[in-house]
Amino acid sequence: MDVTEEVWDKILDINVKATALMTKAVVPEMEKRGGGSVVIVASIAAYTPFPGLGPYNVSKTALLGLGKNLAIELAHSNIRVNCLAPGIIKTNFSQVLWMDKAREETLKEAMRIRRLGTPEDCAGIVSFLCSEDASYITGETVTVAGGAPSRL
């Protein structure tokens, strides 16, 4: 509750508004090609918010709604829209969560699969969602989070 309006604006602009505008920018090219696939990167925080990261959590939940909405709006153009909701993936962005070994072990204990994710854990899912193998999938969210709870 102590987050400033400027922080709210920045996070929502970067995570939600930019995603919507980037999609809007690429749709005409996808339509020229007869269709395509958009994969929006949300987060497990959309389902299980991280304490102290309210605006981030809300922005990632908003992306799930954006994906559902765009899937409906773009289906007539043969453009599929899905979301990826990664859990804690070992990247520079998330290192504050796992850099301390004791904290990393605590995180692992809370997961069904007792390890943190890697970018490679997400790459295959994104590749699949962009492929013809996923041609009948739109408006869905795939969670890659080691078994963390993933329902609203």
Side-chain angles (χ1 to χ4, degrees):
M1 294 305 304
D2 61 347
V3 176
T4 65
E5 184 175 350
E6 291 77 20
V7 169
W8 274 102
D9 288 344
K10 180 178 180 179
I11 291 173
L12 291 173
D13 282 352
I14 291 169
N15 288 350
V16 183
K17 185 177 176 181
T19 301
L21 294 177
M22 181 64 77
T23 303
K24 183 178 179 178
V26 301
V27 161
E29 294 303 316
M30 289 182 169
E31 288 174 329
K32 287 178 191 174
R33 295 176 179 196
S37 177
V38 174
V39 178
I40 295 172
V41 180
S43 170
I44 193 68
Y47 300 110
T48 306
F50 296 123
L53 296 177
Y56 175 83
N57 300 329
V58 170
S59 74
K60 294 301 184 171
T61 304
L63 289 175
L64 302 184
L66 179 64
K68 294 263 186 211
N69 189 73
L70 289 174
I72 292 167
E73 287 189 22
L74 299 175
H76 72 279
S77 296
N78 195 35
I79 298 172
R80 297 175 292 104
V81 182
N82 292 291
C83 293
L84 173 72
I88 299 174
I89 306 297
K90 282 191 120 174
T91 64
N92 289 339
F93 181 76
S94 68
Q95 72 183 15
V96 69
L97 300 173
W98 53 264
M99 203 154 60
D100 175 70
K101 287 298 175 192
R103 189 165 186 194
E104 180 179 356
E105 290 306 313
T106 300
L107 288 171
K108 287 187 214 176
E109 287 173 16
M111 296 178 184
R112 292 183 185 130
I113 296 176
R114 302 277 189 227
R115 67 175 180 84
L116 301 184
T118 65
E120 293 78 14
D121 291 321
C122 298
I125 297 298
V126 173
S127 180
F128 167 71
L129 289 172
C130 292
S131 75
E132 284 303 309
D133 290 336
S135 65
Y136 200 57
I137 300 173
T138 193
E140 298 297 333
T141 299
V142 178
T143 304
V144 179
S150 60
R151 296 290 174 258
L152 288 177

